[in-house]
Amino acid sequence: MGNAIYKGTTQNFNPMMAAAADTVILETKELVPTGSIPMEQIHTPGIYVDYIVK
């Protein structure tokens, strides 16, 4: 669904930049099934993500 979590220092500015940007492209190492990430761990909700690249 586009929900994203970050590891390390990327947690500092990525969520804010995704909320402020016009277009968000999410590059991911791993795609997981919908619902497998607990809600409290999501840093960027899928509503902000326009494109996903693996």
Side-chain angles (χ1 to χ4, degrees), residues 13-39:
F13 297 108
N14 283 352
M16 289 183 285
M17 291 303 294
D22 291 329
T23 303
V24 175
I25 302 170
L26 177 67
E27 182 179 5
T28 181
K29 290 183 179 181
E30 181 181 358
L31 294 173
V32 297
T34 302
S36 63
I37 302 173
M39 285 190 342

